[in-house]
């Protein structure tokens, strides 16, 4: 904070702005003074402030930078150079694109495609025969937009030995035809075996991906993000993924502040003095909280179940779509999952538990209640990732255990009709909840799960407010929130959810000068208009990461 009477020379002053501070003590302002990367002054006009650089905002809205509390940045950056399936409306388009890629590549080279949503293809999924005909001499992997399953051709199956001599599938993660032959669709476990053929990615490739992804983030007003799983499991890209982030930061190629979740799969017992408590973690005792304002270690990420679209989320009652009597499943026994989580918590890790089905979210609530009773509150809160279906009782239990539930409103825009078909109307009303969380006094963060769904914050802020699905129908009208609440989710809420509330989320003296400038009035514009307002500038620590002023 600066004493204005001292006439300190500031680094930057932003004037003529419509500042939404999101600070209830002073909601509005007209100018911001920045010194040494932090907000030094919040003023009505700033005419008397002296600075090396003066920026005229020309009446644009300036607010705290957006924080995506759950995204997959390396995955997104890699997908930007893969075959993009998100715009295909016919299965033939996919096969044609793969055949074209095969003609451009040498025999034996991998063809990787991302962003496939069979709902956009009239509900038709790629088949083994079609993918094989399109690329008979190249292994093909087409990743579903959810990331929880993929589609492959015969060459990919041959390389990983997922079929026997008779052509029958030999792994439980392979979807089968009635005669036992594979359809080409692989769920998480079998998908991991295919990924192992081209993982780990090189450190250089991951740095390139981080650079590409965070440049896009900057253009959308994102100043911070939480990478939802590095180092291992089917969401990690290399055991050296943290080193790649460090290198990207050192080389000036990390364009937003990053908190990194570590896949719980990579934690292991760490030796120490005989007087030390047994610890499950990373070498040197690394755990949640290590790092600085630019790059830090967040929670350990564990998967409790699968996905709604893949019908693998763990449900109390069976899905309304797909095979009869399918309740999905947990990823392990309750005893195994509980033991693994408690060992990590005892070693000082916060936990981010992927839980989508109502059985999985209820199980998570049980574990977090036990943690709440046995251990002190962590500096970085424990979390439930997604919260696809959360009953009223489970939501109250998670609130009582001080757990943050991290929903993705953008899923509704992209996949709502498919989720409704899987859940039925009663469970849809308890899906990806927002209003209920705020009414209970819970922290509501903003997040995208990109590249599973589009990640532009203004798009997802609109989704928070409207909750209109891909068919144009309202998806759980009872969970709608206001525009201001949605903005607060992507700023204050995400800061609280990631343990950095004291440095981000509001335009307040002393906090980091992480700001976004939007050409328009986000509070008076319609939700439809807000999505399309241009991001004119993004600043991280007072420095431009995006500038279209």
């Amino acid at each position: 904070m600066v004493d204005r009477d001292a006439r300190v020379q500031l680094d930057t002053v932003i004037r003529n702005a419509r500042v939404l501070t999101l600070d209830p003590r002073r909601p509005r302002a007209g100018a911001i003074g920045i010194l040494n990367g932090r907000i030094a002054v919040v003023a009505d006009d700033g005419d008397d402030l002296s600075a090396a650089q003066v920026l005229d905002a020309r009446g644009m809205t300036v607010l705290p930078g957006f924080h995506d509390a759950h995204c997959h940045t390396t995955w997104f950056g890699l997908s930007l150079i893969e075959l993009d399936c998100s715009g295909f409306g016919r299965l033939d388009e996919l096969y044609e694109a793969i055949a074209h890629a095969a003609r451009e590549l040498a025999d034996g080279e991998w063809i990787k495609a991302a962003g496939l949503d069979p709902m956009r293809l009239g509900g038709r999924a790629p088949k083994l025969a079609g993918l094989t005909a399109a690329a008979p001499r190249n292994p093909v992997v087409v990743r579903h937009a959810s990331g929880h399953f993929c589609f492959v051709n015969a060459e990919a199956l041959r390389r990983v030995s997922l079929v026997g001599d008779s052509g029958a599938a030999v792994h439980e993660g392979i979807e089968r035809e009635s005669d036992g032959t594979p359809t080409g669709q692989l769920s998480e476990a079998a998908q991991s075996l295919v990924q192992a053929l081209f993982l780990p990615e090189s450190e250089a490739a991951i740095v390139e991906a981080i650079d590409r992804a965070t440049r896009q983030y900057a253009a959308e007003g994102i100043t911070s993000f939480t990478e939802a799983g590095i180092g291992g499991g089917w969401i990690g890209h290399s055991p050296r993924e943290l080193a790649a982030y460090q290198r990207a930061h050192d080389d000036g190629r990390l364009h937003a502040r990053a908190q990194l979740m570590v896949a719980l799969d990579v934690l292991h017992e760490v030796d120490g003095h005989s007087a030390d408590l047994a610890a499950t973690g990373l070498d040197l005792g690394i755990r949640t909280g290590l790092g600085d304002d630019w790059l830090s270690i967040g929670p350990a990420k564990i998967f409790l179940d699968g996905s709604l679209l893949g019908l693998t989320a763990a449900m109390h009652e069976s899905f309304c779509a797909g095979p009869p009597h399918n309740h999905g499943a947990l990823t392990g026994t309750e005893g195994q999952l509980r033991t693994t989580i408690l060992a990590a918590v005892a070693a000082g890790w916060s936990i981010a538990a992927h839980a989508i089905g109502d059985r999985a979210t209820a199980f998570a609530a049980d574990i977090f209640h036990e943690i709440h009773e046995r251990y002190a509150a962590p500096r970085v809160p424990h979390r439930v990732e997604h919260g696809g279906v959360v009953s009223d009782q489970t939501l109250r239990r998670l609130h009582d255990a001080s757990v943050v539930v991290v929903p993705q409103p953008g899923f509704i825009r992209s996949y709502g009709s498919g989720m409704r078909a899987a859940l039925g109307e009663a469970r849809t009303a308890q899906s990806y909840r927002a209003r209920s969380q705020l009414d209970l006094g819970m922290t509501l963060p903003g997040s995208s799960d990109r590249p599973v769904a589009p990640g532009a914050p203004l798009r997802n802020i609109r989704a928070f407010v409207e909750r209109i699905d891909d068919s144009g129908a309202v998806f759980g009208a009872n969970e709608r929130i206001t525009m201001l609440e949605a903005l607060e989710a992507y700023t204050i809420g995400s800061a609280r959810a990631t343990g950095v509330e004291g440095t981000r989320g509001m335009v307040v003296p002393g906090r980091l000068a992480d700001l976004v400038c939007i050409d328009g009035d986000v509070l008076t514009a319609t939700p439809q208009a807000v999505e399309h307002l241009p991001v004119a500038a993004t600043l991280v620590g007072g420095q431009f990461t995006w500038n279209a002023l």
Side-chain angles (χ1 to χ4, degrees), residues 418-483:
M419 294 191 298
R420 179 187 283 106
L423 295 174
E425 289 298 331
R427 290 182 294 192
T428 293
Q430 298 181 332
S431 181
Y432 294 98
R433 309 184 77 166
R435 172 85 273 144
S436 296
Q437 291 200 57
L438 292 178
D439 289 348
L440 280 173
M442 298 176 73
T443 293
L444 176 66
S447 74
S448 68
D449 203 18
R450 181 159 39 189
V452 173
L458 291 177
R459 176 193 187 272
N460 292 329
I461 284 167
R462 174 184 174 182
F464 258 138
V465 175
E466 291 187 325
R467 296 183 70 93
I468 301 293
D469 71 17
D470 50 315
S471 73
V474 176
F475 187 98
N478 53 305
E479 294 297 338
R480 284 171 161 166
I481 61 176
T482 68
M483 181 63 68

Side-chain angles (χ1 to χ4, degrees), residues 368-389:
F368 283 126
H369 252 274
E370 183 175 354
I371 292 169
H372 185 66
E373 293 172 355
R374 291 178 56 181
Y375 298 98
R379 187 178 68 81
V380 177
H382 299 302
R383 307 165 38 146
V384 165
E385 305 306 308
H386 310 301
V389 185

Side-chain angles (χ1 to χ4, degrees), residues 217-524:
Y217 292 0
E220 297 168 348
I222 294 172
T223 56
S224 298
F225 66 93
T226 298
E227 164 71 84
I230 66 166
W234 65 267
I235 52 171
H237 294 87
S238 169
R240 298 175 61 174
E241 212 159 346
L242 174 58
Y245 266 96
Q246 288 180 292
R247 179 173 162 191
H249 179 35
D250 291 344
D251 293 349
R253 304 179 73 180
L254 177 62
H255 308 292
R257 304 182 193 275
Q259 181 187 75
L260 312 178
M261 292 185 189
V262 176
L264 198 142
D265 313 54
V266 305
L267 303 190
H268 55 84
E269 187 172 325
V270 179
D271 290 334
H273 191 275
S274 59
D276 295 335
L277 295 175
T280 298
L282 301 178
D283 292 339
L284 303 178
I286 292 172
R287 60 175 176 82
T288 301
L290 180 68
D292 58 19
D293 287 330
W294 262 103
L295 184 60
S296 64
I297 301 295
K301 168 82 172 290
I302 184 169
F303 284 86
L304 299 186
D305 68 345
S307 72
L308 283 181
L309 294 179
L311 305 181
T312 55
M315 306 295 298
H316 287 302
E317 298 180 4
S318 60
F319 287 103
C320 298
H325 313 300
N326 174 24
H327 296 71
L330 296 174
T331 58
T333 69
E334 291 189 3
Q336 291 167 339
L337 293 168
R338 175 184 173 277
T339 297
T340 300
I341 290 171
L342 291 179
V345 172
W349 286 87
S350 297
I351 298 297
H354 167 113
I356 289 185
D358 55 3
R359 180 188 170 198
T361 56
F363 174 57
D366 290 342
I367 294 176
F368 283 126
H369 252 274
E370 183 175 354
I371 292 169
H372 185 66
E373 293 172 355
R374 291 178 56 181
Y375 298 98
R379 187 178 68 81
V380 177
H382 299 302
R383 307 165 38 146
V384 165
E385 305 306 308
H386 310 301
V389 185
V390 187
S391 70
D392 292 343
Q393 179 183 9
T394 295
L395 196 65
R396 286 191 295 270
R397 285 172 56 76
L398 291 168
H399 164 265
D400 293 345
S402 300
V403 176
V404 176
V405 179
V406 187
Q408 290 72 46
F411 283 7
I412 296 168
R413 284 275 303 270
S414 297
Y415 312 116
S417 62
M419 294 191 298
R420 179 187 283 106
L423 295 174
E425 289 298 331
R427 290 182 294 192
T428 293
Q430 298 181 332
S431 181
Y432 294 98
R433 309 184 77 166
R435 172 85 273 144
S436 296
Q437 291 200 57
L438 292 178
D439 289 348
L440 280 173
M442 298 176 73
T443 293
L444 176 66
S447 74
S448 68
D449 203 18
R450 181 159 39 189
V452 173
L458 291 177
R459 176 193 187 272
N460 292 329
I461 284 167
R462 174 184 174 182
F464 258 138
V465 175
E466 291 187 325
R467 296 183 70 93
I468 301 293
D469 71 17
D470 50 315
S471 73
V474 176
F475 187 98
N478 53 305
E479 294 297 338
R480 284 171 161 166
I481 61 176
T482 68
M483 181 63 68
L484 178 59
E485 289 168 334
L487 290 168
E488 289 174 337
Y490 256 97
T491 52
I492 299 169
S494 290
R496 289 175 180 163
T498 53
V500 295
E501 181 182 5
T503 62
R504 295 165 228 180
M506 294 183 187
V507 180
V508 174
R511 298 202 181 189
L512 295 166
D514 296 357
L515 305 166
V516 58
C517 181
I518 297 172
D519 191 358
D521 188 339
V522 296
L523 289 184
T524 61

Side-chain angles (χ1 to χ4, degrees), residues 31-98:
I32 302 169
I34 298 170
L35 180 66
N36 297 327
R38 292 183 179 267
I39 298 166
V41 180
V42 178
D44 291 332
D45 53 43
D47 290 344
D48 60 342
L49 297 176
S50 175
Q53 175 179 232
V54 178
L55 303 177
D56 184 355
R58 304 191 304 275
M60 296 182 189
T61 301
V62 178
L63 65 157
F66 298 129
H67 183 142
D68 191 328
H70 180 119
C71 58
H72 299 275
T73 300
T74 300
W75 175 12
F76 173 55
L78 291 169
S79 74
L80 291 175
I81 57 172
E82 295 175 346
L83 178 62
D84 181 10
C85 303
S86 61
F88 295 155
R90 304 189 328 272
L91 198 52
D92 286 349
E93 291 181 84
L94 171 64
Y95 292 147
E96 290 165 6
I98 289 173

